[in-house]
Amino acid sequence: MLVMSIILLQTVGSSIMQPLQHLLRAQGSLRQVSLASVSQLLLKNLRAHSRLPGTTHPSVERQQDGVPESFRSRLMNGPAFQHFLRSASAPQEKPSSEPEELPPYLTVDKLLGRQRKVYLETYGCQMNVNDTEIAWSVLQKSGYLRTSNLQEADVILLVTCSIREKAEQTIWNRLHQLKTLKTKRSRSRVPLRIGILGCMAERLKEEILNREKMVDLLAGPDAYRDLPRLLAITESGQQAANVLLSLDETYADVMPVQTSSSATSAFVSIMRGCDNMCSYCIVPFTRGRERSRPVASILEEVRKLSDQGLKEVTLLGQNVNSFRDSSEVQFNNAVPTNLSRGFTSNYKTKQGGLRFVHLLDQVSRVDPEMRIRFTSPHPKDFPDEVLQLIHERDNICKQIHLPAQSGSSRVLEAMRRGYSREAYVELIHHIRECIPGVSLSSDFITGFCGETEEDHLQTVSLLREVQYNVGFLFAYSMRQKTRAYHRLQDDVPETVKLRRLEELITVFREEATKINKTSVGCVQLVLVEGLSKRSPTDLCGRNDGNLKVIFPDTEMDDATNPGLRIRAQPGDYVLVKITSASSQTLKGHVLCKTTLKDSSTYCSPEWMATQG
């Protein structure tokens, strides 16, 4: 109705806009004006306008087929329906090469960084690490420089997380620390600009700008392309914000810039947003609806990373295995979506498009010597074809993250997870049958709304039954906007949450130690990452199951060059015989350098016998 009113205003003239402008000024912004008040004012002034001298009254207008001639002409000359659908054209449409017309208060020169130095600080999940690389790619192209020295920064950007209250409190505390840095800034230097990026900017919006006047800009997860413009606005002393969520932004054409030149692995975002709407989760409200990158753009990025010598890629998404590329029309058929047995979806099952199994297959073919991982999946999206591919392809890691969240079917229903404990356990057994030796990790939330002591004990028993190699456990933190916030009560006392969390952590460590100790005496393929943080004489790497492996930095045989003795370097694949294990780390001694392709040969019982 408001859109139609604006169209009518454009056709009638600008004289009736003055009262509306007064109303908007009084209210401060259009977001605070009720649709009813705007509509009433428009109607009142339209009626008054129709009685102005020189204006023909509708009742005496010449009519054709019952339609007033003046209205017909205005309608014909007004915007067409397609005018409002420009942004809803073909999905994943490539951005136009023509530069966008700048507003009058900005010039091309003002968008340039002019070698100002940017300090980026990342909090939260792997998606935020990738977001940092995207943001830096955008700024680098605009002429900004990167610095790791906070004191010399001209711009400080915090890439934030909102998944729990503790994560947000960390940012508030950090802002207080940065306030001193800003107030003590020398007047001979350009003013220090501080920005909040990511989920916290999206969730809190104006609260950040009002509470912390020192914050100069906000940019939500879908607004990183706008960073040069936002920074240009702050030069005049204004605060700037763009927290609009997008239905199609995937940054498919933005090549992330690796933050570490010595990195052996990289994150590749394949999709953004989430449609699952679990009752506890803020992600759909901070990152928007699910949309997937075109397969071609993902493969191009993976090829470039392979050319740079990286040996491991992790495919990222909030619900990574629900990937669906619908950009290729020929694949938008009616092929149904297969869910894991016993699992349901909170939304209407989608059809067509190139699915996750196709992408995983294509990515793993780019470089046989590059490991492929993916996170974070939803248990509902593990059809047999995905499990079969993981089993068959050597460079797809035999490690699956399977978030359970709770071991109680009653709590799982309240969480809107779409499965029962029984269905989840059946999936665990099925995965272990399809992928022998698979490493499993999981997420758990304790103290969710209405969780009883019996519910908690069922989660404890699930930890003991499954024996995860890796676990991420947290106390529940209610988030505004979520379904739980509106419909459930956060009725578990904080002391009880913390006590239950400690119990879960204790049980997880006990069971993880047991399962990890089964690796003692085995030889495992390890991708070397660098020196151990705890010992300069040890090296650190990760095995196929994504467990940290520590081993002495000593000379070893190079199986790729017989007779040569070398020391392991970051990016090398080495064979390590495991000698001890804890809940989080394996230790051993290095045997030789190898390749991913040949590692299975060197791990054979016959070769093992020669190693003593």
Side-chain angles (χ1 to χ4, degrees):
M1 181 175 178
L2 183 55
V3 171
M4 292 304 296
S5 300
I6 293 170
I7 295 170
L8 193 55
L9 281 172
Q10 291 174 339
T11 60
V12 172
S14 61
S15 62
I16 60 174
M17 286 295 291
Q18 294 176 355
L20 178 59
Q21 290 169 349
H22 289 309
L23 173 65
L24 295 182
R25 285 197 199 101
Q27 295 292 340
S29 72
L30 183 59
R31 284 173 298 178
Q32 297 172 349
V33 181
S34 70
L35 184 58
S37 62
V38 173
S39 302
Q40 289 173 4
L41 185 59
L42 288 173
L43 184 59
K44 177 181 177 181
N45 285 278
L46 280 170
R47 286 171 178 166
H49 180 77
S50 67
R51 293 191 292 273
L52 291 174
T55 304
T56 306
H57 196 276
S59 62
V60 294
E61 284 181 338
R62 187 164 61 86
Q63 298 193 3
Q64 180 179 338
D65 299 328
V67 181
E69 184 65 27
S70 62
F71 179 77
R72 178 187 293 277
S73 63
R74 292 197 300 269
L75 189 62
M76 292 299 290
N77 294 327
F81 182 59
Q82 286 75 14
H83 173 83
F84 301 99
L85 296 179
R86 285 174 185 166
S87 61
S89 54
Q92 303 296 347
E93 187 177 357
K94 290 186 178 179
S96 170
S97 57
E98 297 181 8
E100 259 186 60
E101 185 178 348
L102 294 174
Y105 55 85
L106 286 180
T107 63
V108 174
D109 180 63
K110 286 187 176 180
L111 295 181
L112 299 178
R114 298 190 293 279
Q115 296 195 326
R116 281 173 294 177
K117 296 181 178 180
V118 179
Y119 180 90
L120 286 153
E121 208 164 83
T122 309
Y123 298 83
C125 66
Q126 297 98 324
M127 283 295 293
N128 281 1
V129 175
N130 185 252
D131 279 7
T132 301
E133 295 171 350
I134 290 172
W136 171 230
S137 178
V138 171
L139 292 172
Q140 188 182 54
K141 288 181 180 178
S142 291
Y144 287 86
L145 300 178
R146 183 80 179 268
T147 180
S148 58
N149 185 344
L150 188 65
Q151 299 298 323
E152 68 178 23
D154 301 309
V155 178
I156 299 174
L157 300 177
L158 308 182
V159 184
T160 62
C161 173
S162 259
I163 198 72
R164 277 171 289 277
E165 185 178 351
K166 184 179 179 181
E168 291 184 350
Q169 189 56 50
T170 300
I171 301 300
W172 291 121
N173 294 340
R174 184 58 169 153
L175 287 175
H176 286 305
Q177 296 170 4
L178 296 176
K179 188 173 184 178
T180 304
L181 192 66
K182 190 169 186 177
T183 55
K184 292 184 177 181
R185 178 86 162 185
S186 171
R187 293 190 177 183
S188 62
R189 301 175 64 186
V190 296
L192 177 63
R193 302 303 180 198
I194 297 177
I196 301 294
L197 277 54
C199 293
M200 188 169 167
E202 184 65 47
R203 193 183 87 81
L204 296 179
K205 301 179 178 71
E206 292 95 337
E207 182 179 337
I208 297 176
L209 297 178
N210 294 333
R211 178 172 165 181
E212 292 293 346
K213 300 297 183 183
M214 58 168 291
V215 174
D216 300 288
L217 74 86
L218 299 179
D222 294 342
Y224 300 141
R225 294 181 193 270
D226 203 25
L227 283 172
R229 184 187 69 88
L230 295 174
L231 284 167
I233 292 173
T234 65
E235 284 191 33
S236 64
Q238 301 179 70
Q239 290 179 312
N242 183 347
V243 290
L244 294 175
L245 289 175
S246 169
L247 289 174
D248 54 18
E249 178 62 270
T250 63
Y251 300 106
D253 59 323
V254 177
M255 183 66 178
V257 178
Q258 298 298 307
T259 55
S260 172
S261 57
S262 61
T264 60
S265 60
F267 296 118
V268 175
S269 175
I270 68 170
M271 64 172 296
R272 300 179 75 84
C274 183
D275 288 347
N276 287 320
M277 300 299 289
C278 299
S279 63
Y280 56 84
C281 189
I282 191 65
V283 168
F285 304 98
T286 59
R287 288 191 172 267
R289 303 300 298 272
E290 283 184 16
R291 62 270 190 202
S292 300
R293 281 177 65 180
V295 169
S297 76
I298 297 169
L299 294 178
E300 180 184 3
E301 183 175 343
V302 173
R303 289 190 192 100
K304 288 181 179 178
L305 293 171
S306 174
D307 292 342
Q308 293 171 17
L310 273 74
K311 293 295 184 68
E312 183 176 283
V313 159
T314 301
L315 306 179
L316 290 181
Q318 265 76 33
N319 187 180
V320 68
N321 52 341
S322 71
F323 175 88
R324 182 188 308 273
D325 173 15
S326 301
S327 64
E328 300 291 340
V329 177
Q330 65 266 34
F331 296 110
N332 288 339
N333 47 40
V335 176
T337 298
N338 297 322
L339 299 180
S340 307
R341 289 194 294 268
F343 288 70
T344 60
S345 171
N346 287 332
Y347 51 84
K348 184 179 179 181
T349 304
K350 303 168 187 175
Q351 297 184 339
L354 295 173
R355 300 309 314 279
F356 182 64
V357 66
H358 173 87
L359 174 67
L360 195 58
D361 173 55
Q362 294 299 305
V363 168
S364 66
R365 293 176 186 273
V366 169
D367 183 352
E369 287 298 310
M370 177 183 275
R371 275 179 171 172
I372 309 300
R373 302 186 190 275
F374 57 89
T375 197
S376 178
H378 191 287
K380 76 179 190 307
D381 295 304
F382 275 107
D384 285 352
E385 51 265 34
V386 170
L387 301 177
Q388 189 66 28
L389 179 65
I390 296 172
H391 172 64
E392 293 174 355
R393 203 62 50 87
D394 289 339
N395 63 334
I396 301 178
C397 292
K398 310 303 180 278
Q399 176 250 330
I400 291 179
H401 186 60
L402 210 64
Q405 307 302 358
S406 175
S408 163
S409 293
R410 192 187 68 81
V411 173
L412 289 171
E413 184 177 2
M415 289 179 166
R416 301 184 81 232
R417 290 291 290 170
Y419 54 86
S420 63
R421 176 196 173 107
E422 291 72 24
Y424 180 87
V425 171
E426 183 181 344
L427 177 61
I428 292 285
H429 293 321
H430 184 57
I431 288 175
R432 283 179 165 159
E433 288 173 1
C434 293
I435 312 172
V438 66
S439 174
L440 296 176
S441 58
S442 190
D443 297 335
F444 284 92
I445 297 172
T446 186
F448 184 66
C449 306
E451 183 188 71
T452 64
E453 200 63 28
E454 175 58 30
D455 294 325
H456 167 63
L457 292 176
Q458 289 183 38
T459 301
V460 171
S461 70
L462 183 64
L463 283 168
R464 294 198 183 281
E465 181 177 355
V466 176
Q467 290 189 315
Y468 299 96
N469 299 85
V470 179
F472 304 92
L473 302 93
F474 305 96
Y476 175 62
S477 175
M478 180 169 274
R479 305 278 79 194
Q480 290 182 359
K481 295 186 180 180
T482 61
R483 186 183 181 93
Y485 179 81
H486 291 291
R487 302 195 180 191
L488 302 176
Q489 293 293 320
D490 187 10
D491 53 2
V492 179
E494 195 66 24
T495 54
V496 175
K497 288 181 183 179
L498 295 177
R499 188 258 300 168
R500 291 176 182 175
L501 177 60
E502 287 299 320
E503 291 177 5
L504 291 186
I505 291 173
T506 299
V507 172
F508 159 73
R509 287 177 175 169
E510 290 173 358
E511 299 304 320
T513 300
K514 291 177 186 177
I515 194 72
N516 291 342
K517 280 186 174 180
T518 62
S519 297
V520 174
C522 298
V523 173
Q524 296 195 353
L525 181 68
V526 176
L527 176 59
V528 181
E529 294 179 342
L531 288 173
S532 169
K533 293 180 179 179
R534 295 189 176 184
S535 170
T537 61
D538 288 339
L539 292 175
C540 170
R542 291 188 180 271
N543 66 2
D544 193 71
N546 209 26
L547 270 177
K548 186 178 292 186
V549 181
I550 307 295
F551 55 95
D553 180 10
T554 58
E555 279 195 347
M556 61 181 176
D557 290 330
D558 183 354
T560 63
N561 290 286
L564 188 66
R565 298 280 292 178
I566 61 170
R567 288 181 181 271
Q569 301 297 320
D572 286 345
Y573 285 113
V574 297
L575 293 177
V576 177
K577 187 170 184 178
I578 306 303
T579 56
S580 65
S582 67
S583 62
Q584 297 175 305
T585 307
L586 303 178
K587 291 185 177 182
H589 63 264
V590 66
L591 300 178
C592 67
K593 177 184 176 181
T594 184
T595 64
L596 196 154
K597 179 181 178 182
D598 295 334
S599 60
S600 57
T601 301
Y602 292 109
C603 289
S604 65
E606 294 77 16
W607 185 84
M608 283 285 295
T610 67
Q611 301 303 303

